[in-house]
Amino acid sequence: MPTLTSILYALSITGATALNYGSLNNNEKQFSQEFRDNYSILKHYGGNGPYSERRSHGISRDPPPACTVDQVIMIKRHGERYPSPSLGAGIEKTLSKLHAANTTFAGDLAFFNDWTYYVPNACWYNAETASGPYAGLLDGYNHGTEYRDRYGHLWDGESVVPMWASGYGRVIETARKFGEGFFGYNYSSNAALNVISEDEGMGANSLTPVCYDDRDAGICAALTNVMPLFKVAAERLNAQNPGLGVNETDVYYLMSMASFELNARAFSEWIDVFTQDEWVSFGYVEDLNYYYCAGPGDKTMAAVGSVYANASLTLLNEGPEKTNSLFFNFVHDTNITPILAALGLLTPEEDLPLDRIPFGNPYSTGDIVPQGGHFTIERLSCAQTAISNAGSYVRLVLNEAVVPFNKCTSGPGYSCPLEQYSTIVKGLLPDYVGQCKVPHKDPKSLDFWWVFNTTTELNYRTGPVGCQEGAVDF
């Protein structure tokens, strides 16, 4: 007769098998075979809506086995915000048209009878949101806590760590909230916020460099916000509400308004006013705007992005022994897309067409620069393994998904050996000063990562929050 000990031992070595057999006997699959349309409205807002992680290649976000992260260079877009004043003007004009209809709305717009606009007044345009589960300030704080968990080993708990923000109100507030999340109780004493002016005269010593010779501006200006399905949507809403009289442009503004609503509220009824196909069209219009106005479709943007890419390459080769381990930077969306263009990341083989949607397009801005989007460069220190040598490697992470660097994936976790990464990047980067005709009097290189303040005087706002606009809103 078996003893209790022998029974327990038998269970310990066969438990997993027994569980698997039990699943099979119940006709349950261990893995689902359903991979459906992967549809999410957050991927068709362009850069307007709440942050969402990038759809990944299935590569683990954690460091590869035998590797540790010894240096991090991150650049983050500010958190979720209200619409810009110019977009707000178009939205208000369309809303006025709806109110002027003086009717009880029906069909897809029935909710509009009781709906109120989520922007309290014009002062709030451009401001970071502070309400709702997708709030911009919450985004910054949560991101800081997540990176403390991921990269906290790079801070000794005592040193003062500089951070850098471009000189715009919502960008600075995002940096502050991120700092509070990362440093916790020590933020007031161990973080040193450096604010870098957005003035064009900063030249290359800037987080927001500009090109003085933007020859592609005409292409950008020629883009239209109208897609065929916008007309279909307008006809549907007019049929449901006779006399309404909305057109394709009104539909674009209503969809833009909807894409910002979740930044301030937990729920938007406007989302269901439009079909999935219409949202896909809207998202592609946003892709076109970023591609041709701030991305690889504008041939000057690679030169603009080369400023950051070149300086970060210097940091990686110096390593944490000569510089620091943590470099947290905060900017706008259109300061990140040029960096990706400079590195040749996600650039389509051909320019995006203006007359159709190219499915499989790698330049999907919902995956690239959502509100709160960020691009992180990791320097890995790896031990010898059976398939790779000991040494330093580079891994690129966009919105928490590992993005293999072009064709250089021979390192652990599909990373790129630092030496090879350096060679490739040096061959890619154009001359910013020459191509963009930087004035002689302006700085020709980025040096604030090496020359920075360690005071805490900018860590907090010193006065009340007034109207939200302003480039020097400390």
Side-chain angles (χ1 to χ4, degrees):
M1 182 174 182
T3 66
L4 177 60
T5 301
S6 65
I7 293 172
L8 291 176
Y9 175 73
L11 288 174
S12 71
I13 63 172
T14 63
T17 303
L19 287 174
N20 286 338
Y21 280 132
S23 295
L24 291 175
N25 290 336
N26 291 330
N27 293 318
E28 295 178 3
K29 297 176 181 177
Q30 183 178 3
F31 302 104
S32 172
Q33 293 174 283
E34 296 179 354
F35 290 85
R36 303 207 174 190
D37 59 9
N38 199 26
Y39 179 85
S40 169
I41 191 67
L42 297 180
K43 297 304 180 186
H44 301 290
Y45 274 174
N48 298 342
Y51 172 76
S52 64
E53 292 187 349
R54 177 176 175 77
R55 288 168 287 193
S56 75
H57 296 286
I59 303 171
S60 174
R61 178 64 178 89
D62 294 330
C67 299
T68 59
V69 178
D70 65 15
Q71 190 177 50
V72 173
I73 309 167
M74 180 205 75
I75 188 163
K76 176 179 172 65
R77 184 187 182 187
H78 57 74
E80 288 78 350
R81 64 170 174 85
Y82 292 100
S84 67
S86 57
L87 179 59
I91 291 172
E92 290 188 23
K93 184 177 180 180
T94 296
L95 288 177
S96 294
K97 179 182 289 189
L98 266 63
H99 287 298
N102 196 26
T103 184
T104 299
F105 290 90
D108 294 328
L109 292 179
F111 74 93
F112 188 69
N113 295 303
D114 301 308
W115 183 84
T116 57
Y117 191 27
Y118 53 87
V119 182
N121 56 63
C123 175
W124 290 87
Y125 284 129
N126 260 343
E128 199 164 13
T129 57
S131 61
Y134 305 102
L137 295 178
L138 182 62
D139 174 314
Y141 184 83
N142 285 342
H143 189 187
T145 62
E146 291 166 5
Y147 268 33
R148 175 62 181 274
D149 183 57
R150 186 172 292 282
Y151 301 122
H153 66 282
L154 297 178
W155 179 49
D156 60 14
E158 297 179 358
S159 301
V160 175
V161 179
M163 302 190 303
W164 295 267
S166 69
Y168 201 92
R170 63 175 178 267
V171 177
I172 296 170
E173 291 306 324
T174 296
R176 287 168 173 158
K177 287 300 177 185
F178 178 96
E180 289 177 357
F182 187 90
F183 295 99
Y185 294 118
N186 298 92
Y187 172 69
S188 60
S189 58
N190 290 91
L193 182 60
N194 288 246
V195 176
I196 310 301
S197 172
E198 294 189 358
D199 187 89
E200 291 184 358
M202 294 294 291
N205 196 27
S206 173
L207 284 168
T208 56
V210 298
C211 199
Y212 297 87
D213 186 32
D214 192 353
R215 287 162 288 178
D216 294 324
I219 298 176
C220 176
L223 291 177
T224 175
N225 290 327
V226 176
M227 292 286 281
L229 283 175
F230 293 176
K231 183 176 181 180
V232 173
E235 291 174 349
R236 181 178 66 254
L237 297 180
N238 289 332
Q240 293 174 354
N241 298 274
L244 187 59
V246 296
N247 56 33
E248 300 99 315
T249 301
D250 294 320
V251 166
Y252 174 79
Y253 281 122
L254 291 174
M255 296 183 82
S256 297
M257 179 183 68
S259 66
F260 276 94
E261 186 166 21
L262 286 182
N263 295 341
R265 289 176 173 167
F267 185 83
S268 174
E269 292 168 293
W270 284 100
I271 293 172
D272 292 333
V273 171
F274 306 102
T275 67
Q276 288 190 2
D277 288 356
E278 288 157 5
W279 277 116
V280 169
S281 291
F282 180 86
Y284 186 62
V285 168
E286 296 302 300
D287 296 344
L288 290 174
N289 276 294
Y290 277 98
Y291 179 80
Y292 284 107
C293 307
D298 181 332
K299 305 311 177 186
T300 65
M301 286 298 105
V304 171
S306 70
V307 173
Y308 185 97
N310 186 57
S312 64
L313 186 61
T314 301
L315 289 180
L316 292 169
N317 280 285
E318 290 181 343
E321 298 81 12
K322 292 184 179 179
T323 53
N324 292 323
S325 295
L326 296 170
F327 292 85
F328 296 138
N329 307 274
F330 304 86
V331 292
H332 305 272
D333 48 353
T334 52
N335 306 125
I336 297 176
T337 48
I339 298 169
L340 302 180
L343 293 173
L345 288 179
L346 309 176
T347 300
E349 294 182 1
E350 298 179 353
D351 282 336
L352 298 185
L354 303 179
D355 60 347
R356 60 185 175 82
I357 298 176
F359 289 97
N361 164 33
Y363 209 80
S364 176
T365 49
D367 268 336
I368 298 173
V369 280
Q371 304 275 343
H374 47 278
F375 177 55
T376 303
I377 303 175
E378 293 181 336
R379 185 180 188 270
L380 303 174
S381 176
C382 300
Q384 179 83 28
T385 70
I387 60 172
S388 60
N389 296 323
S392 296
Y393 294 82
V394 177
R395 195 167 71 152
L396 307 180
V397 181
L398 181 60
N399 301 325
E400 299 311 296
V402 175
V403 180
F405 177 61
N406 301 341
K407 296 181 180 180
C408 182
T409 58
S410 61
Y414 304 98
S415 61
C416 180
L418 175 56
E419 183 177 358
Q420 189 175 352
Y421 177 85
S422 299
T423 300
I424 295 173
V425 171
K426 287 177 181 177
L428 287 173
L429 298 184
D431 173 28
Y432 169 68
V433 174
Q435 183 169 333
C436 287
K437 294 181 169 47
V438 177
H440 180 72
K441 62 180 177 58
D442 294 347
K444 304 301 187 295
S445 62
L446 187 157
D447 68 6
F448 53 74
W449 282 338
W450 293 267
V451 182
F452 51 83
N453 77 63
T454 55
T455 67
T456 60
E457 61 184 34
L458 296 180
N459 284 19
Y460 296 98
R461 182 187 294 274
T462 56
V465 179
C467 203
Q468 304 290 340
E469 279 274 39
V472 285
D473 185 9
F474 293 169

